[in-house]
Amino acid sequence: SCPTTGMNGNDTIYVAAGYTLRINGSFTFGFNQGLVMVDTARFITTGSLSVADMKANNLDVLGGSIEVGGTFYMGNVTQTISADVKAGGVQLGTSNVTVNGSVTSTGLVTISYGSKIYGDVSGTVVNAGPSVTIGGSVTASSRFSLGSSGTVTGDVTAPTTELLASGAKVNGNIIASTKLTLGSSASVGGNVDTGDLLLQSSSATIN
């Protein structure tokens, strides 16, 4: 446990299996800095954490969990991690990112264009951009939106759910207690339980 890392420009943090690093505050990694985690390693910050600008080759997270009291930022450059993420908010940035693990937030989850999450996703609001792939269930306490050509392989539970034009797809059941909106060519491969159903345009299907 430490108040700050005191890292220099090219330093790397290594967290081995079975160990926990806790930073009391927020921390932002620089482009040439690094993070290595394996197996059951845990990286905890009480504030926000950003790996968004880190060089892809320096982000070597192959297991464990990242737990952030504030917002977790990732993906100003193309990046991949294999870890479960828990945070107050999650911003998966402006470039393609891949997360092999679950993403759990007590607030907003934003997933950028073309990103891939292979695990369950939850938050108050989950916004998945165009061409996003989610291989797991999605749970939002308020709203879930899926951009054009986005795919969810798993069940979706959110009071307001929007599959936007065109070609957004859910291969699973949807529970949208308030409203489900299906844009042009959107499709659902599963059961639907909703308050109001709005078909915005042609070729939306529920199988």
Side-chain angles (χ1 to χ4, degrees), residues 90-201:
V90 176
Q91 174 69 56
L92 303 182
T94 55
S95 296
N96 295 358
V97 302
T98 300
V99 177
N100 297 304
S102 62
V103 174
T104 304
S105 172
T106 56
L108 173 66
V109 178
T110 301
I111 307 169
S112 66
Y113 173 89
S115 294
K116 300 175 176 64
I117 298 177
Y118 298 106
D120 296 339
V121 178
S122 65
T124 55
V125 175
V126 178
N127 293 325
S131 300
V132 163
T133 298
I134 299 175
S137 65
V138 177
T139 303
S141 59
S142 179
R143 181 172 61 84
F144 169 62
S145 65
L146 181 64
S148 63
S149 300
T151 302
V152 175
T153 303
D155 296 336
V156 173
T157 303
T160 299
T161 298
E162 302 171 334
L163 307 187
L164 303 177
S166 60
K169 180 184 297 184
V170 172
N171 297 313
N173 303 320
I174 294 180
I175 299 176
S177 57
T178 302
K179 185 178 182 180
L180 171 62
T181 301
L182 299 181
S184 175
S185 301
S187 66
V188 179
N191 299 319
V192 170
D193 184 349
T194 188
D196 292 329
L197 175 62
L198 174 61
L199 303 179
Q200 286 188 327
S201 190

Side-chain angles (χ1 to χ4, degrees), residues 12 28 30 40-41 51 66 74 84-85 88 114 123 127-128 146 158 161 167 185-186 197:
T12 295
T28 298
T40 55
V51 299
I66 296 173
M74 177 181 173
D84 294 327
V85 175
N127 293 325
L146 181 64
T161 298
S185 301
L197 175 62

Side-chain angles (χ1 to χ4, degrees), residues 13-132:
I13 291 176
Y14 294 86
V15 188
Y19 285 84
T20 298
L21 171 64
R22 178 186 176 94
I23 297 175
N24 296 317
S26 298
F27 186 73
T28 298
F29 282 90
F31 180 74
N32 289 315
Q33 293 174 334
L35 174 63
V36 178
M37 295 174 57
V38 294
D39 297 332
T40 55
R42 296 175 68 198
F43 188 173
I44 301 172
T45 64
T46 59
S48 295
L49 173 66
S50 177
V51 299
D53 295 320
M54 189 190 301
K55 188 189 310 182
N57 291 343
N58 291 356
L59 185 60
D60 191 15
V61 176
L62 300 177
S65 63
I66 296 173
E67 302 169 36
V68 181
T71 300
F72 175 67
Y73 299 93
M74 177 181 173
N76 289 343
V77 296
T78 300
Q79 294 174 324
T80 298
I81 63 171
S82 296
D84 294 327
V85 175
K86 298 179 181 179
V90 176
Q91 174 69 56
L92 303 182
T94 55
S95 296
N96 295 358
V97 302
T98 300
V99 177
N100 297 304
S102 62
V103 174
T104 304
S105 172
T106 56
L108 173 66
V109 178
T110 301
I111 307 169
S112 66
Y113 173 89
S115 294
K116 300 175 176 64
I117 298 177
Y118 298 106
D120 296 339
V121 178
S122 65
T124 55
V125 175
V126 178
N127 293 325
S131 300
V132 163

